[in-house]
Amino acid sequence: MNVLSLNIRGLGNSSKADWVRGLRIHHEVSFMMIQETQFVDLGSIDVGRFWGRGDFCFDWVASDGRSGGLLSLWDPKIFAKTDVTKLSNCLLVSGNIKGCDGANHMLNVYAPHNAVDKRFLWAEISNLIGGGDGLWTVAGDFNAVRRECERRNSFFNTSEANEFNDFIDNSNLHEFSLKGRRFTFVAGDKLSGIDRIFVNWNFFMKWPNAEYVALGRKMSDHSPLVLKTTSRNFGPKPFRFYNSWLRRDDFGDVVKNSICGGGFMGDPDCILMQKFKKLRVNISIWADQCKQKELGEKQLLEKERGELDDILEVRQLSEVEMWTLEEAKQCLWELESLHQQDLKQKSRC
């Protein structure tokens, strides 16, 4: 299940909804955690615009005036909610992920700025994690950094960083290596890495190769974070043979040269596989070259036909010009016929 975390800095802008919806669709996100909604009541907000098409569920924590506010959205076909816990600075949605044994806990966090309040929040989160087994994902804006290098042109508080690191260690949380941007928040020339996604040891062991990426800032001064545990890469695309290739004059030579080129060694079955592999590569290269060649030929023929049509508007064509026009039309028809044959075959696959 892929997870998105974003400090949106207010839900009111409709362009932000379009942006978040695009991120969700593009990265195939099934659970979203949004911080700093800045809304006490979501009655006036069309939450569905942030999700897009398909069923979704959501829960939220009201902001304190124009400060804070949390919103979590998820796909009920992927994540089945069993319980919700709401605190002033965090929103815990517990449930089960389809195809994953055991409980899953999704904790959405927006930490306060005050050091004492943060200390109390770290204790609350530690108690929540200590009281629940299963997989934990803790994401949000923590308003704290772990190392001095995570701040630029801004004050680094050593004691706050130590308390933050102690909380992470005591809660048995882990952070994947961040890809993309190094700093997740920027204000003028001040940069910080305060937005994060942590997981517990059980999660880390289940998906050790999960991808953790900071995306580009667009409608917020915070970078969206995406934790990808689901891979949609099914390997190389299957090789598809188009019947129209048999109508090309040079296709037979490509096949013959690929098979009879030599250089194959091993048992007969290994040699056969090597020949198929070489044949596939050579046909793919030939098909790309053929496509580019026919595209260029089509453009020249259309230009030539257009010029002759313009001449025909003012005078009769000569015999040579008439033959050229008919030849151009015939060649264009043949190219279009090949293209239509490919489209017809695709539609039946």
Side-chain angles (χ1 to χ4, degrees):
M1 182 178 75
N2 297 340
V3 180
L4 171 69
S5 175
L6 168 64
N7 183 323
I8 201 168
R9 297 299 294 273
L11 294 177
N13 190 334
S14 60
S15 298
K16 291 183 179 180
D18 298 335
W19 175 47
V20 173
R21 183 175 66 251
L23 291 174
R24 186 197 73 80
I25 295 172
H26 180 73
H27 294 282
E28 299 174 320
V29 170
S30 299
F31 202 108
M32 290 199 299
M33 304 189 204
I34 297 177
Q35 303 89 42
E36 215 171 351
T37 62
Q38 299 179 356
F39 272 82
V40 177
D41 185 2
L42 296 185
S44 61
I45 298 295
D46 182 6
V47 179
R49 288 198 60 185
F50 291 85
W51 185 265
R53 293 183 178 179
D55 296 333
F56 74 97
C57 297
F58 74 94
D59 218 317
W60 58 286
V61 170
S63 65
D64 183 9
R66 295 289 293 174
S67 175
L70 298 164
L71 172 65
S72 293
L73 307 93
W74 61 91
D75 183 348
K77 296 189 295 294
I78 304 297
F79 183 88
K81 181 192 74 173
T82 57
D83 191 26
V84 174
T85 303
K86 298 183 181 182
L87 301 176
S88 58
N89 291 100
C90 58
L91 169 61
L92 173 62
V93 182
S94 301
N96 301 102
I97 299 176
K98 182 179 180 181
C100 180
D101 296 333
N104 290 268
H105 308 279
M106 313 299 293
L107 184 61
N108 190 358
V109 178
Y110 178 71
H113 292 274
N114 182 274
V116 176
D117 293 338
K118 273 189 276 195
R119 195 175 302 130
F120 280 118
L121 177 61
W122 304 153
E124 287 180 329
I125 295 176
S126 295
N127 289 334
L128 286 174
I129 296 176
D133 297 327
L135 308 180
W136 282 80
T137 303
V138 183
D141 180 353
F142 293 88
N143 276 312
V145 296
R146 305 183 64 182
R147 293 170 286 273
E148 187 174 2
C149 63
E150 294 174 355
R151 285 197 184 276
R152 178 178 294 173
N153 300 329
S154 58
F155 175 70
F156 173 72
N157 189 314
T158 304
S159 61
E160 281 192 13
N162 290 336
E163 290 180 354
F164 188 42
N165 284 317
D166 289 342
F167 149 68
I168 294 169
D169 293 338
N170 295 335
S171 302
N172 197 24
L173 295 178
H174 303 268
E175 186 175 15
F176 291 94
S177 297
L178 182 64
K179 298 180 180 179
R181 295 181 177 272
R182 177 183 176 188
F183 298 99
T184 60
F185 170 69
V186 57
D189 63 342
K190 299 179 180 179
L191 297 94
S192 299
I194 60 177
D195 301 275
R196 297 177 179 275
I197 298 180
F198 296 103
V199 298
N200 70 335
W201 182 248
N202 291 335
F203 186 108
F204 192 82
M205 291 298 292
K206 188 173 184 63
W207 288 295
N209 297 320
E211 187 177 40
Y212 176 34
V213 184
L215 306 176
R217 293 175 288 271
K218 185 176 180 182
M219 303 299 296
S220 172
D221 48 13
H222 291 254
S223 295
L225 301 179
V226 176
L227 178 63
K228 293 187 176 182
T229 62
T230 302
S231 175
R232 299 289 183 175
N233 182 9
F234 299 104
K237 293 182 178 179
F239 181 72
R240 177 178 292 169
F241 185 93
Y242 290 100
N243 296 333
S244 65
W245 292 345
L246 298 174
R247 295 170 56 184
R248 269 82 168 188
D249 295 334
D250 55 344
F251 180 73
D253 294 333
V254 174
V255 175
K256 182 178 179 180
N257 295 334
S258 300
I259 295 177
C260 302
F264 306 111
M265 299 179 62
D267 296 331
D269 55 344
C270 294
I271 293 177
L272 180 61
M273 292 303 298
Q274 293 173 31
K275 288 184 176 181
F276 279 138
K277 184 177 180 180
K278 185 176 181 181
L279 183 61
R280 172 177 176 167
V281 171
N282 289 350
I283 289 179
S284 297
I285 296 173
W286 169 85
D288 290 337
Q289 294 174 345
C290 188
K291 183 178 180 180
Q292 294 299 322
K293 177 183 176 182
E294 291 179 354
L295 179 61
E297 183 180 352
K298 182 178 180 180
Q299 291 174 345
L300 289 175
L301 290 170
E302 288 177 341
K303 181 180 178 182
E304 188 174 36
R305 184 181 64 176
E307 292 174 350
L308 292 172
D309 285 340
D310 292 339
I311 295 174
L312 190 58
E313 293 286 335
V314 296
R315 66 171 176 82
Q316 291 289 334
L317 297 178
S318 66
E319 185 176 346
V320 175
E321 291 172 334
M322 184 61 71
W323 180 86
T324 303
L325 178 60
E326 294 299 325
E327 188 71 16
K329 290 181 179 180
Q330 178 64 25
C331 291
L332 285 171
W333 179 86
E334 291 176 356
L335 291 174
E336 182 63 24
S337 175
L338 293 172
H339 179 63
Q340 291 299 324
Q341 184 176 352
D342 290 344
L343 291 179
K344 184 177 181 181
Q345 186 174 344
K346 284 182 179 179
S347 67
R348 291 182 175 179
C349 286

